[in-house]
Amino acid sequence: MARRRTKKRTHVGAANNGNPTKAKPVSANQVSRSPKSMVIRIGAGEVGPSVSQLVKDVRKMMEPGTAARLKERKNNKLRDYVTMAGPLGVSHLMLFSRSESGNTNMRLAITPRGPTLHFHVEKYSLCKDVRKALRHPKGGGKEYLNPPLLVMNDFVSPASEPESNIPKHLESLTTTVFQSLFPPISPQTTPLSSIRRVLLLQRVRDKDGTYVLQLRHYAITTKRIGLSRPLRRLNAAEKVFNVQSTGKSKKAGMPNLGKMEDVADFIIGGEAGEGYMTDATSGSEVDTDAEVEVVEATAKKVLSRRQRERDREEKEFGDPSRVEKRAVKLVELGPRMTLRMTKVEEGVCGGKVMWHEYITKTKEEIKEQEKVWEKRRQEKETRRRIQKENVEKKRKSKVGAEEADDDEPIDEWDSEGSRDDGETEVNEDMEEAGASENEREEIAEG
């Protein structure tokens, strides 16, 4: 009998050499901590190709914790997605739609109880437009294997600033909603190599008091600095050798040393060379956004006791030989969006309106609204209570009917009087045989 195939990439035991028994169980708390999102087009056939492409770009930006291959249908309603959000563990819904006047809107809702933030997309640029505008665009690679680093600036107004149109508690609520889009990062445990993207949210303050956000999406690229260009080329050549060992060939990255007698001629330039040149000594400015010092990443090895003590001392006193300078540069990936918040609701795309950009209510109107919503809440609780009582009554009546059926006496039928019974046929044959014998006796006596 052939052995059953085990999936290596998607199975639970893939990380444990195909043995699922060694896999560590994932607790429900760990699953609930990681947020998941759905980016949805409301009215799939009515939003147009540009908004459809924007939805795809936003899904790419929200990876890996999003439904990247979600397919919408024209007959799908918002209730369908809200219903399936619970079983699938979806915590956020991003809904894109287009009004009859042609305005593009975005709603950001937290399931299952809200709140919901309504935004008007004033401007947006697709990823393909951003790539065309860049001289050296960044292609999609391993950047999307980990969630981006969320950077939020100027979301909450300072205390010294006069009161704006948006209350303070709604500013804090908006900050909390955007922070919950991605899993939190722990500086002590999160490796630097996993942070490859940045999602920037910048609040733009206008004189009219509107709440406007600018969204930008960047990839983080690093490069060693302080080394000469020939040394960097040698370092790149080492990577080329590693690539060739896997079966691929890249001859363009290999330095040409055929006309040189020694490797020193390549590094320092020989007699007519330019010497040991770096980015600082060559006269060219370094095109970077920042420079940082990081500890050089080394492969983990099995160390002896003496080596472990030496490494511990180096960590305590610091080892400058393992620290290297790197230049950090941000390359925009897209999409870009300019969002203006228009409304905040309590529930999931419904419920009491907490704030509206165009409608301002007085304190008396707010109290009347509170009374209306309190009445609706009481009516809803009453309906739930009545429904629960009716369900309990039906359950009890059903149980009582089953018990009554069990208590009824079972009639025992006599097999002698039943039709098509074998014993009845035998008795009739015996009676006929007895009657014929009596007739014979009477004829003989007569």
Side-chain angles (χ1 to χ4, degrees):
M1 183 176 179
R3 193 174 70 176
R4 187 176 180 180
R5 173 179 171 266
T6 303
K7 295 182 179 180
K8 301 296 183 182
R9 291 179 296 173
T10 58
H11 199 261
V12 178
N16 300 281
N17 297 327
N19 190 0
T21 58
K22 295 182 181 180
K24 295 182 180 179
V26 180
S27 62
N29 294 332
Q30 293 177 351
V31 175
S32 60
R33 286 176 186 174
S34 58
K36 297 181 181 179
S37 61
M38 277 187 182
V39 185
I40 306 166
R41 295 176 300 167
I42 299 299
E46 302 173 359
V47 295
S50 297
V51 179
S52 300
Q53 185 62 38
L54 177 63
V55 170
K56 293 181 181 179
D57 294 343
V58 174
R59 287 176 185 170
K60 192 74 173 175
M61 179 184 68
M62 298 296 293
E63 285 187 0
T66 188
R69 299 181 181 180
L70 180 64
K71 301 293 183 182
E72 306 96 337
R73 296 180 180 178
K74 292 183 180 180
N75 55 354
N76 286 136
K77 304 297 181 182
L78 177 61
R79 187 176 180 180
D80 302 335
Y81 300 108
V82 176
T83 303
M84 292 304 300
L88 296 177
V90 177
S91 58
H92 294 76
L93 296 178
M94 298 182 71
L95 312 171
F96 286 86
S97 60
R98 194 173 66 176
S99 62
E100 295 179 357
S101 58
N103 296 326
T104 304
N105 301 314
M106 187 194 81
R107 287 174 285 177
L108 177 59
I110 298 180
T111 59
R113 298 182 179 180
T116 304
L117 308 179
H118 293 248
F119 293 95
H120 168 56
V121 183
E122 293 183 339
K123 301 176 183 178
Y124 67 89
S125 299
L126 303 177
C127 292
K128 59 180 182 181
D129 301 329
V130 174
R131 285 195 297 267
K132 289 179 181 178
L134 296 177
R135 186 176 181 182
H136 301 289
K138 181 74 174 177
K142 297 182 179 180
E143 292 83 8
Y144 297 97
L145 297 179
N146 297 300
L149 177 67
L150 181 63
V151 178
M152 306 168 65
N153 186 29
D154 204 11
F155 263 57
V156 181
S157 303
S160 60
E161 187 175 334
E163 293 186 2
S164 60
N165 297 336
I166 303 174
K168 298 288 185 182
H169 67 280
L170 290 182
E171 292 180 347
S172 302
L173 177 64
T174 307
T175 306
T176 305
V177 170
F178 278 102
Q179 284 178 347
S180 62
L181 279 174
F182 303 102
I185 294 176
S186 176
Q188 290 79 16
T189 58
T190 303
L192 290 176
S193 59
S194 64
I195 303 176
R196 297 176 178 268
R197 291 183 293 144
V198 173
L199 180 61
L200 176 62
L201 291 172
Q202 168 73 33
R203 180 182 175 183
V204 180
R205 297 187 179 274
D206 295 334
K207 295 181 180 180
D208 54 357
T210 57
Y211 198 93
V212 180
L213 299 177
Q214 288 187 354
L215 184 145
R216 298 291 186 270
H217 184 215
Y218 298 95
I220 302 175
T221 59
T222 60
K223 183 178 68 173
R224 287 184 180 181
I225 60 175
L227 298 177
S228 65
R229 295 177 183 175
L231 280 179
R232 286 206 302 266
R233 291 190 64 190
L234 288 178
N235 190 18
E238 183 181 358
K239 296 181 180 180
V240 171
F241 278 117
N242 295 333
V243 172
Q244 288 179 349
S245 62
T246 60
K248 301 178 182 179
S249 62
K250 287 186 179 180
K251 296 183 179 180
M254 295 290 295
N256 186 10
L257 305 178
K259 297 181 180 180
M260 299 181 184
E261 298 180 357
D262 192 359
V263 69
D265 298 338
F266 175 74
I267 295 177
I268 65 176
E271 296 179 357
E274 298 177 352
Y276 189 82
M277 293 180 58
T278 61
D279 293 331
T281 60
S282 62
S284 61
E285 296 181 359
V286 184
D287 186 15
T288 58
D289 296 322
E291 295 180 4
V292 295
E293 292 184 354
V294 296
V295 179
E296 184 179 1
T298 57
K300 293 183 178 181
K301 300 179 181 179
V302 180
L303 304 178
S304 62
R305 180 180 178 183
R306 184 176 299 177
Q307 290 175 337
R308 287 197 299 268
E309 292 178 354
R310 188 183 304 168
D311 289 349
R312 193 180 301 112
E313 292 177 358
E314 290 178 356
K315 288 181 181 180
E316 293 178 357
F317 298 102
D319 184 13
S321 61
R322 295 182 59 184
V323 177
E324 61 180 5
K325 281 189 175 183
R326 283 187 173 270
V328 181
K329 186 179 180 181
L330 300 180
V331 180
E332 190 169 2
L333 297 173
R336 298 180 184 177
M337 283 192 292
T338 302
L339 308 173
R340 190 182 80 248
M341 190 164 66
T342 58
K343 187 170 63 171
V344 180
E345 293 178 328
E346 273 193 353
V348 179
C349 300
K352 184 174 66 174
V353 178
M354 303 172 64
W355 176 82
H356 202 288
E357 183 183 8
Y358 307 113
I359 301 175
T360 304
K361 294 185 178 181
T362 61
K363 294 182 179 180
E364 290 76 12
E365 292 175 345
I366 293 175
K367 290 181 180 179
E368 287 293 330
Q369 186 185 15
E370 292 288 344
K371 291 180 182 179
V372 171
W373 281 103
E374 182 65 23
K375 184 179 179 180
R376 291 183 182 178
R377 188 187 64 81
Q378 292 177 359
E379 291 176 354
K380 189 175 182 180
E381 291 294 334
T382 304
R383 288 196 302 269
R384 285 184 177 179
R385 180 175 52 81
I386 294 174
Q387 186 179 9
K388 188 176 181 180
E389 291 176 357
N390 294 336
V391 171
E392 190 68 21
K393 287 181 182 179
K394 288 182 180 180
R395 189 184 65 81
K396 289 181 179 180
S397 62
K398 187 176 181 180
V399 172
E402 291 178 355
E403 291 178 355
D405 294 341
D406 295 340
D407 295 339
E408 288 183 0
I410 301 175
D411 296 335
E412 296 180 357
W413 293 88
D414 189 3
S415 61
E416 293 184 0
S418 61
R419 186 175 295 181
D420 298 334
D421 194 358
E423 188 176 354
T424 304
E425 294 178 358
V426 172
N427 293 335
E428 291 176 354
D429 294 340
M430 292 177 66
E431 291 177 357
E432 291 177 358
S436 60
E437 291 179 357
N438 294 333
E439 290 177 357
R440 289 174 185 176
E441 291 177 357
E442 290 176 359
I443 294 171
E445 290 176 358

